[in-house]
Amino acid sequence: MIRIENLYKVYGDREVISDFNAVLDKGINNLIIGASGSGKTTITKCVVGLTEPTKGRVLFDDVDFFSLGRKDRAEMRQLIGFMFQGGALFDSMSVEENVMFALRVFTNRSYAEMKKRVDFCLDRVGLSGVNNLMPDELSGGMVKRVAIARAIVMNPSYLFCDEPNSGLDPQTAILIDELISEITHEYQITTVIITHDMNSVMDIGDHVIFLHQGQKWWEGSKKEILDAKNEQLREFIYASSFMKSLKDLQE
Amino acid sequence: MNFLFHFGRYTLFLGKVFARPQKRKLFWDSTFREMVTLGLDSLPIVAIISVFIGAVATIQTASNIDSGLIPLSTIGFATRESMLLEFSPTIIALILVGKVGSSISSELGTMRVSEQIDAMEIMGLNPANFLVLPKVIGLMIINPFIISLSIFLGVVGGYLATVSTGVITVSEYESGITLDFYPFDYVYAMIKTVVFAFIITSVPAYFGYFVEGGSVKVGKASTIAVVYSSIVILILNYIITQLLLL
Ligand SMILES: Nc1ncnc2c1ncn2[C@@H]1O[C@H](COP(=O)(O)OP(=O)(O)O)[C@@H](O)[C@H]1O
Ligand SMILES: [Mg+2]
């Protein structure tokens, strides 16, 4: 479980995140949704300390992350898996080396043991036999899969995915969403997924937080979202013609 | 203001770079790899330039000495001294800034803008230490060999010039290059070499590491890195020379 309390982030004189509070439970898909520029990436980066929040507290299962020293923070981070918007694969390393990286740096396992774990993770994300490909030889969907494999290789307790299905075709997008969802339930991970895709929301949105201009405007499940009264949220949901026609059908 | 900002952040950056590596074996593995890459990368250009400069310096000195009052051994002596004291340690360093430095800067800059550095940080690794320390230590170890080779090849270049043009005899050239040799000159050259290796790697690494924005900024950072590193090398060259040779 992750608890975020009174989180603020100011860039220059712009308040990008204002008084953000949330409790993110484990074993479910916690989605943070909102338009481009609403502050989704900034919130996740603050939560994991990639950017220092201006104010606020973040508790990882009751451990106050920002009160930790440098060494404890580094240790805490080994429990966090992070999937970047663009994949952020190490482009000088093969797929196998990418996924193996954290194992090589932080554990003392033999190559055979590490390889076994890497192959397991690659298999889990539906990629086998691509160990020796380089990142620039991968398709968009494969990059995302490798990024997921790399994020789960250390058995993380917390998993952050920044727009995991952006830039993918709709079919692949759904596969990636479902893959993350399965992994979350299977290993009881506290998962935070950032998206602006309503398909993802309706597909895997166990717990949905709607962000508007750096503030939380609505919170609920995918079942409740279509009936939400919040105007900004309705605008966001019904921006796509598909959702609009769905609403018309409903009414 | 700008200079103070960079200086302060560079100092803090060095603090992160010179932390204890997460795993000693991985550190030495990548240091060794950097030594090989940085060394092999720069060898061809260093070799070619050194031979030609040595040859040209020799012909130039020879063409200025025709009075008969100055002994002809001065020619070889001048070639050796200019390669040893200045050309190989300093000018080659400036050339390596353009070759090695700019590639370090764009490598790290690309890793920064594509969030690969963030990805390492989030794993709990110290990316500055992991990525930069092997390059700094690697070049500091390998550069004395590169520069020694450059000095040697410069002298060989002079030899080839005397042989092919016949301005002086081989034995006159040989007596020149062994004339009045002070081992301390070599020590002075190697001190410069190690210090400059530190600058050639750490300054461009700093500019690449802190790139903000996209790939255009990576290119800009690399240009700025080359300018700053060159200036720092020239200033340090003056300071070290004044301290050691006066
Ligand atoms: N490093 C930064 N410096 C200044 N402003 C930033 C920085 N990062 C993000 N912002 C601003 O914060 C806002 C939220 O950005 P972001 O969190 O990336 O949005 P999202 O991920 O929801 O698209 C944007 O208006 C963006 O311009
Ligand atoms: Mg974003």
Side-chain angles (χ1 to χ4, degrees), chain A residues 11 14 16 34-43 85 162-163 194 211, chain B residues 212:
Chain A
Y11 280 122
R14 274 190 58 214
V16 178
S36 220
S38 54
K40 305 182 295 292
T41 298
T42 306
I43 284 188
Q85 204 162 343
D162 193 352
E163 311 223 0
I194 293 182
L211 203 63
Chain B
E212 275 176 42

Side-chain angles (χ1 to χ4, degrees), chain A residues 48-64:
Chain A
V48 299
L50 273 180
T51 42
E52 205 79 8
T54 311
K55 218 170 93 184
R57 271 200 339 157
V58 175
L59 302 165
F60 286 86
D61 287 306
D62 299 328
V63 177
D64 184 347

Side-chain angles (χ1 to χ4, degrees), chain B residues 37-54:
Chain B
T37 349
L38 298 174
L40 290 183
D41 259 7
S42 40
L43 265 192
I45 186 150
V46 170
I48 292 169
I49 296 177
S50 305
V51 170
F52 276 92
I53 296 287

Side-chain angles (χ1 to χ4, degrees), chain B residues 162-235:
Chain B
T162 57
V163 169
S164 64
T165 60
V167 281
I168 49 169
T169 64
V170 168
S171 69
E172 278 164 339
Y173 184 71
E174 278 172 355
S175 76
I177 58 176
T178 48
L179 186 73
D180 280 345
F181 178 70
Y182 298 110
F184 184 75
D185 287 354
Y186 183 71
V187 173
Y188 156 80
M190 289 304 111
I191 290 175
K192 294 212 291 188
T193 297
V194 174
V195 172
F196 295 165
F198 178 79
I199 302 298
I200 295 168
T201 43
S202 66
V203 173
Y206 161 81
F207 281 102
Y209 194 84
F210 288 102
V211 169
E212 275 176 42
S215 49
V216 179
K217 292 290 178 56
V218 175
K220 276 205 184 119
S222 167
T223 313
I224 295 176
V226 169
V227 173
Y228 268 79
S229 318
S230 307
I231 295 174
V232 171
I233 286 176
L234 292 173
I235 294 172

Side-chain angles (χ1 to χ4, degrees), chain A residues 74 77 101 105-106, chain B residues 22 120-127 130:
Chain A
R77 284 198 171 132
F101 185 78
V105 174
F106 295 111
Chain B
Q22 185 78 28
M120 286 185 178
E121 180 126 33
I122 208 80
M123 290 174 183
L125 192 63
N126 170 350
F130 184 82

